[in-house]
Amino acid sequence: MSLNLQTHTEHFTNPLYLESGRILEPYDITYETYGELNEDKSNVVVVCHALTGSHHAAGTYEDERKAGWWDGLIGSGKAVDTDKYFVICTNVIGSCFGSTGPMSPKHPHHEPYRYKFPVVTIKDMVKAQRILFDRLDIHRVEAIIGGSMGGMQALQFAIHYPNFAKKIIALATTYATQPWAIAFNKVASESILKDPEFKQGYYDPEVIKENGLSGMAVGRMAGHISFLSHESMDEKFGREYKRTDGLYELFGKFQVESYLEYNGYNFTKWFDPLAYLYITKAINIYDLSRGFDSLAEALQKITAKLHLISFSNDMLFKSDEMKHIDDVLNENAQTNHKYIDIQSDYGHDAFLVELEKFDFYIKEALDE
Amino acid sequence: MSLNLQTHTEHFTNPLYLESGRILEPYDITYETYGELNEDKSNVVVVCHALTGSHHAAGTYEDERKAGWWDGLIGSGKAVDTDKYFVICTNVIGSCFGSTGPMSPKHPHHEPYRYKFPVVTIKDMVKAQRILFDRLDIHRVEAIIGGSMGGMQALQFAIHYPNFAKKIIALATTYATQPWAIAFNKVASESILKDPEFKQGYYDPEVIKENGLSGMAVGRMAGHISFLSHESMDEKFGREYKRTDGLYELFGKFQVESYLEYNGYNFTKWFDPLAYLYITKAINIYDLSRGFDSLAEALQKITAKLHLISFSNDMLFKSDEMKHIDDVLNENAQTNHKYIDIQSDYGHDAFLVELEKFDFYIKEALDE
């Protein structure tokens, strides 16, 4: 069967009350769907994207060379089987792929928000999605799945909308962002802010896309380090030189340097710097226990079956952090969960690239 | 007894033939000494500094608030006991604290070398030191000790001047720089190069020192991540906020962010960006096996007693890398060495800050 990829944008005029006390009004949410919604709307699976991801999780548009970011996982006969499930992936608020973010026009003017955009949290992103699903008349879903920031969303769903999903599958994520991850985000934000072409937030997005923004490229390069691991870098690059004669040239390049440079600069062609600042802020202040006395109290809200999947060499969100959730649940005799740590050399990127190590597990969890 | 701190600079007019085939001529080497040279010059200990270190390893000048970088280790009654040993630490060529580097005047003009400075290697740094010691009529030393890039120098001494030192003590270092470390250096170099104030290498050093160089600050921030570990960051910073009301402010800061910012910008007041580019280049291309068929062949040159000390949570030069040297030596039945891995949460910085975990070991190794 076909993937039946569809893209939609919904417009909301009701105010979105944010965790900060501020209001976002009006706002749009752009989302993609795959598969067919069944008659009683009981076959919905929600997929949540990571920091620089988008609603485009699967399939390939006509003008695209690369498929959606989790195409290997979502589709006909795949782990998230679109012959069976109706899959929805929404672009989070604060991002730059159709949902309202800092470069969206600030009502009633047509000027972008820029710094007037309110800080949004992972909880706010989830709240906006919940409102979208309400409009779509979807009130209970089979599962919510996400990795990295997508996993943060899945966990927030589990705690704040405990009756919404039967199953929660969170990969390569954490219960609260730790200083190691915040530090990497800091390198990126500082680098963006100090780039004169960023013009203190008053850049022309078209100019940035055209010329690149070296500050964001440098920040992304740091990000790529955090997505990998010592082992994956040794495997991918070793000490290979791009040109054999570059050894004694100051700007001679190792393969790992070319990789970072290519990905860093390419990134500036498709991502918005203010969105980067706002989303990394949301990640930095993500903490499941906020508003509760403890993480244990927060986790007690969960009624869904919870699947926690970490990757042994994840340097960004360490296995220990997922294990900590498992430990707290066990201490409180909450038994409706499973935690597995997958042996992988890939580092954080494993949730995007080593699908064969966990797709069967997701299939099993969904079909349970 | 007093430390007897002395600083000297020696000028050399003979050409220094570099590994690249290029020549450095003339050149200066600045160095410090502590303690007293005995009559038969048999009590010399050489200390080698790391990337941003200098010859100022111990003691405190009148105008200083902080002592030299290994002051806890070097001094009267300390592990490297200046009552007993005459300690020499030289500023490496390519650096910016008195020895010839990219901002030194290019003979016969008075203009700085800038990009005309040749790429130097760790082996070149060691060669220049060996020539200095020759001039000082020191032809054999008790020990050479260094951590990080200092450890690289110690190992290069062991291989290329096998009769020069009785003991080699290398800490927190590697046999060849791996892509993880090269990647961090890349973030820094790219960030420096793209800062408009760097003026493509034609900056005014006084202006840079006065105003700071945000590109280098960002690069140093990335560097600081690599010097720490997840555990040390959790311990040092946790998720503490600088101001409690900063949570929902886009630029509200976590403690870890303030730490990186402070150290990043402070760094630009005392270090030169071109020196940073040249020294990180030397680190990137450091490979003990260069010029040999294998690492094993290189290590076979060593006749000194070799002490290898790694730190369990070092993220920059992983314990495994030091263990690899140990493994190769063992495979070749080279028994005159000892390897220890010190349990520490500090990460790479441990060799500078957790002295109490290894100073007794260094004392023992020296007095053996």
Side-chain angles (χ1 to χ4, degrees), chain A residues 49-258:
Chain A
H49 72 71
L51 166 52
T52 60
S54 74
H55 51 286
H56 185 33
T60 313
Y61 291 114
E62 267 188 21
D63 60 344
E64 279 188 319
R65 285 192 305 168
K66 269 176 76 178
W69 55 271
W70 238 358
D71 188 73
L73 203 68
I74 303 164
S76 174
K78 297 181 183 173
V80 183
D81 193 344
T82 51
D83 296 346
K84 191 168 174 182
Y85 298 108
F86 179 64
V87 181
I88 307 179
C89 182
T90 80
N91 186 217
V92 298
I93 54 165
S95 182
C96 53
F97 298 109
S99 295
T100 298
M103 288 305 279
S104 303
K106 184 174 182 332
H107 187 74
H109 311 292
H110 294 287
E111 284 302 302
Y113 279 96
R114 301 191 193 263
Y115 286 139
K116 293 191 180 107
F117 194 73
V119 162
V120 294
T121 65
I122 305 293
K123 195 174 158 187
D124 294 328
M125 293 173 182
V126 162
K127 190 179 196 176
Q129 288 177 64
R130 185 65 189 81
I131 290 167
L132 168 73
F133 300 141
D134 246 359
R135 173 167 303 176
L136 302 179
D137 207 22
I138 292 167
H139 306 285
R140 186 155 167 84
V141 301
E142 193 57 30
I144 301 170
I145 313 177
S148 197
M149 188 182 83
M152 296 176 180
Q153 292 167 66
L155 291 170
Q156 286 280 22
F157 261 116
I159 289 171
H160 292 286
Y161 303 99
N163 298 315
F164 184 65
K166 288 189 211 165
K167 297 152 194 167
I168 299 288
I169 308 174
L171 301 96
T173 191
T174 184
Y175 58 94
T177 305
Q178 301 305 307
W180 181 265
I182 295 171
F184 274 97
N185 287 338
K186 175 66 176 174
V187 170
S189 65
E190 190 68 21
S191 186
I192 290 170
L193 292 170
K194 290 296 157 70
D195 188 323
E197 296 307 314
F198 180 67
K199 297 184 194 294
Q200 302 182 294
Y202 287 84
Y203 56 90
D204 177 336
E206 292 311 313
V207 172
I208 294 280
K209 278 212 170 81
E210 183 68 23
N211 299 346
L213 187 70
S214 62
M216 188 156 77
V218 165
R220 182 67 169 176
M221 285 163 62
H224 274 286
I225 297 177
S226 74
F227 305 153
L228 298 172
S229 67
H230 295 80
E231 291 75 7
S232 64
M233 284 201 187
D234 293 349
E235 174 81 13
K236 263 171 116 94
F237 312 114
R239 284 180 48 84
E240 287 305 305
Y241 240 71
K242 200 168 154 58
R243 287 187 296 111
T244 49
D245 61 347
L247 192 66
Y248 298 114
E249 288 171 25
L250 186 58
F251 299 118
K253 273 174 211 160
F254 284 93
Q255 287 289 8
V256 63
E257 296 180 286
S258 297

Side-chain angles (χ1 to χ4, degrees), chain A residues 29 48 57 111 113 120 128 131 147 178 271-272 276 279 282 311 316:
Chain A
I29 299 183
C48 302
E111 284 302 302
Y113 279 96
V120 294
I131 290 167
Q178 301 305 307
F271 208 84
D272 174 67
Y276 201 85
I279 299 177
F311 297 90
L316 190 58

